[in-house]
């Protein structure tokens, strides 16, 4: 099938979040982890390339994104999407603006939109300010994120230092007046040389208006939710068949491993609520004594009981560890430990992996050499089960972004495959 839509995501959970929302349409969605080394042969209508570039140096993020764009173009994609987190995880040295500008140049377009809103998960944008539930982003738990602490909520202010061209806003009052009004507003901004337009959205109905207004443009950027209406819109335009295939549900061996490296408040609650066997990794102990104790614990677990290994900790504890080890070093140490435990689990027969944390998921998926996933049922908004062959074995993996899912997420994920 010819690819219509090609997305580039800055992390693995974000990519699977977008894939899950697109797969709600019933159309086949394929997720590639990293830029495929060979040219496209069997691409799906919706192709997503997951990079692990959220906190990478700018030049690296830009060159990987351009390589991904080339692959998606070769697959036939005509509409492109740059996917980042619904909490806009990005420091002033971040990659959202630079990658958008590089993609705009490569696609020869003068303007793009920025809409990380995800109302089903409580992310909304009003007057350019991003909210998490009822809190401003900068007052939400995101202010304590281990890698990208968000201390400003204003998307224009966050974007301006990351871009060379001008930043503007299409506010909710414009969006609420519908597709034609929004299109006219965007055209007016373009006349004023405004290349980067933050677009307000507080509900799915706003996202539908935005998607319709921008569906013909070469490049959209945002969280996953603004892309949700696109399959339906492409269907209306005759770009896709009307009768999508049914959701994929292969049988997968029940041996399960849960790995959590996310320190978000939601993940903390999910770890606390899990009533299966659980083991906490302490980064300081890992550095001093290595991984043997955790590996020994795992080797004694019944894998059908879905053991949980987690480094998840509260903000104060993360801060203490970071002061001792350094922020990036602590993150890398934990990611390496959880990846090794995933490999140990796989070698002992684990075929279902539940991973919490964007960076963590990227590290684990890379260690397991997963290069391609097909998307199945959603467990929670933006968190689908995905299917992959790992060393010739059929496996299921779900990758949860830190803040997603309800408190019972780990059990919900297990039950969804039962
Ligand atoms: P999220 O999706 O919540 O942002 P990530 O996995 O992307 O989660 O990021 C969390 C980062 O914090 C990872 O790099 C992880 O290795 C690191 N980390 C996890 N536990 C700890 C800890 N106890 N102390 C310090 N850093 C930690």
């Amino acid at each position: 099938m010819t690819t219509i839509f090609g997305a580039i995501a800055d992390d693995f959970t974000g990519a699977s979040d977008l894939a899950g929302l697109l797969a709600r349409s019933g159309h086949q969605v394929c997720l590639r982890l990293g830029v495929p080394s060979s040219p496209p042969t069997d691409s799906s209508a919706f192709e997503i390339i997951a990079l692990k570039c959220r906190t990478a140096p700018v030049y690296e993020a830009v060159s990987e994104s351009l390589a991904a764009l080339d692959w998606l173009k070769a697959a036939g994609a005509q509409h492109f999407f740059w996917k980042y987190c619904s909490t806009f995880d990005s420091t002033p040295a971040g990659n959202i603006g630079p990658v958008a500008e590089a993609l705009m140049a490569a696609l020869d377009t003068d303007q793009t939109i920025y809409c990380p809103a995800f109302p089903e998960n409580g992310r909304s944008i009003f007057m350019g300010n991003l909210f998490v539930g009822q809190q401003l982003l900068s007052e939400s738990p995101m202010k304590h994120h281990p890698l990208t602490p968000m201390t400003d909520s204003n998307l224009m202010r966050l974007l301006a230092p990351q871009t060379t061209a001008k930043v503007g806003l299409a506010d909710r009052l414009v969006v609420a007046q519908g597709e034609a009004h929004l299109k006219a507003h965007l055209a007016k901004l373009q006349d004023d040389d405004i290349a980067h337009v933050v677009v307000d959205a507080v509900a799915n109905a706003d996202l539908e208006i935005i998607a319709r207004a921008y569906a013909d443009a070469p490049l959209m950027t945002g969280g996953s939710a603004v892309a949700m209406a696109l399959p339906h819109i492409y269907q209306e335009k005759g770009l896709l068949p009307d009768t999508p295939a049914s959701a994929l549900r292969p049988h997968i061996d029940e041996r399960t491993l849960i790995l959590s490296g996310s320190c978000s408040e939601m993940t903390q609650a999910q770890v606390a609520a899990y009533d299966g066997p659980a083991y906490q990794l302490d980064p300081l102990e890992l550095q001093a004594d290595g991984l043997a104790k955790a590996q020994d614990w795992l080797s004694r677990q019944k894998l059908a009981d879905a053991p949980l290994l987690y480094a998840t900790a509260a903000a104060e504890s993360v801060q203490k560890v970071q002061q001792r080890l350094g922020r990036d070093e602590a993150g890398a140490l934990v990611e390496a430990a959880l990846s090794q435990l995933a490999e140990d689990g796989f070698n002992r027969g684990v075929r279902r992996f539940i991973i919490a944390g964007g960076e963590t998921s990227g590290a684990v998926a890379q260690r397991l050499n997963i290069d391609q996933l097909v998307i199945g049922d959603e467990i929670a908004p933006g968190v689908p089960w995905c299917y992959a062959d790992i060393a010739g074995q059929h496996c299921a993996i779900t990758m949860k972004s830190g803040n997603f899912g309800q408190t019972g997420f780990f059990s919900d994920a297990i039950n969804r495959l039962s």
Side-chain angles (χ1 to χ4, degrees):
M1 168 148 222
T2 310
T3 299
I4 291 163
F5 172 93
I8 301 161
D10 71 350
D11 83 342
F12 287 22
T13 47
S16 92
D17 161 13
L18 174 61
L21 295 196
L22 292 169
R24 279 184 188 177
S25 67
H27 290 285
Q28 206 184 62
V29 180
C30 187
L31 172 50
R32 321 263 170 179
L33 303 186
V35 183
S37 49
S38 45
T41 47
D42 59 342
S43 62
S44 304
F46 293 86
E47 284 285 342
I48 301 168
I49 297 182
L51 303 177
K52 193 175 181 302
C53 66
R54 178 169 303 158
T55 53
V58 170
Y59 69 89
E60 216 173 282
V62 165
S63 74
E64 281 183 21
S65 301
L66 291 175
L69 180 71
D70 285 343
W71 191 93
L72 294 166
K73 275 181 170 169
Q78 287 153 29
H79 302 282
F80 299 89
F81 194 88
W82 166 224
K83 158 76 179 72
Y84 38 83
C85 191
S86 63
T87 42
F88 210 79
D89 306 13
S90 197
T91 63
N95 294 320
I96 295 178
V99 169
E101 286 197 333
L103 295 175
M104 285 165 77
L107 291 168
D108 200 19
T109 183
D110 296 334
Q111 192 184 62
T112 192
I113 58 165
Y114 296 75
C115 185
F118 193 164
E120 284 176 64
N121 278 331
R123 286 14 164 204
S124 55
I125 310 168
F126 188 68
M127 298 301 157
N129 293 287
L130 184 55
F131 290 80
V132 177
Q134 296 183 341
Q135 290 174 307
L136 279 165
L137 176 67
S138 56
E139 292 167 16
S140 78
M142 280 306 295
K143 67 181 172 203
H144 295 308
H145 189 276
L147 304 178
T148 48
M150 298 309 293
T151 53
D152 193 353
S153 309
N154 186 291
L155 295 176
M156 284 98 74
R157 248 182 348 242
L158 287 165
L159 208 47
Q162 295 188 11
T163 51
T164 55
K166 284 199 271 185
V167 179
L169 174 68
D171 73 25
R172 177 84 206 307
L173 306 178
V174 171
V175 174
Q177 291 181 68
E179 183 188 337
H181 199 81
L182 176 58
K183 267 186 170 164
H185 182 77
L186 291 167
K188 158 102 183 40
L189 293 178
Q190 192 156 6
D191 289 344
D192 295 341
D193 294 329
I194 293 182
H196 306 283
V197 187
V198 173
V199 187
D200 278 358
V202 301
N204 280 350
D206 299 333
L207 295 176
E208 167 117 20
I209 290 169
I210 298 163
R212 284 188 183 282
Y214 229 64
D216 293 328
L219 178 69
M220 271 166 92
T221 90
S224 53
V226 71
M228 197 163 46
L230 291 175
H232 183 64
I233 295 169
Y234 295 155
Q235 236 168 268
E236 284 175 4
K237 289 177 183 287
L239 297 170
L240 280 175
D242 284 347
T243 44
S246 57
L248 191 74
R249 278 190 208 102
H251 176 74
I252 306 284
D253 186 290
E254 68 175 356
R255 283 170 286 185
T256 303
L257 185 59
I258 310 175
L259 298 163
S260 178
S262 159
C263 297
S264 76
E265 285 197 1
M266 182 46 86
T267 307
Q268 290 178 47
Q270 289 162 341
V271 165
Y274 185 59
D275 59 5
Y279 182 95
Q280 182 169 21
L281 298 166
D282 172 357
L284 298 177
E285 198 178 296
L286 277 178
Q287 203 213 21
D289 305 326
L291 195 56
K293 212 166 130 190
Q295 288 174 307
D296 177 56
W297 180 85
L298 180 59
S299 72
R300 287 183 280 106
Q301 302 308 305
K302 239 175 86 193
L303 298 172
D305 292 342
L308 160 67
L309 287 141
Y310 65 100
T312 306
E316 314 82 71
S317 154
V318 172
Q319 269 157 20
K320 256 189 229 155
V321 167
Q322 290 182 335
Q323 275 158 13
R324 290 273 295 277
L325 302 180
R327 187 186 70 173
D328 294 345
E329 292 72 10
L333 186 70
V334 169
E335 287 172 34
L338 290 172
S339 304
Q340 181 62 54
L341 291 162
E343 190 178 313
D344 293 352
F346 177 78
N347 290 337
R348 281 194 51 219
V350 170
R351 297 295 178 259
R352 299 179 182 188
F353 294 89
I354 300 171
I355 324 283
E359 295 295 323
T360 308
S361 296
V364 169
Q366 278 174 346
R367 176 63 75 94
L368 294 175
N369 277 323
I370 299 174
D371 55 12
Q372 185 175 337
L373 294 152
V374 180
I375 310 306
D377 286 337
E378 241 181 333
I379 303 158
V383 200
W385 270 112
C386 306
Y387 301 100
D389 271 355
I390 303 178
Q393 303 295 319
H394 294 309
C395 293
I397 180 166
T398 182
M399 305 185 280
K400 185 193 81 76
S401 159
N403 298 297
F404 284 9
Q406 298 302 312
T407 313
F409 176 81
F410 298 139
S411 306
D412 294 347
I414 293 165
N415 295 336
R416 201 82 177 89
L417 277 197
S418 303

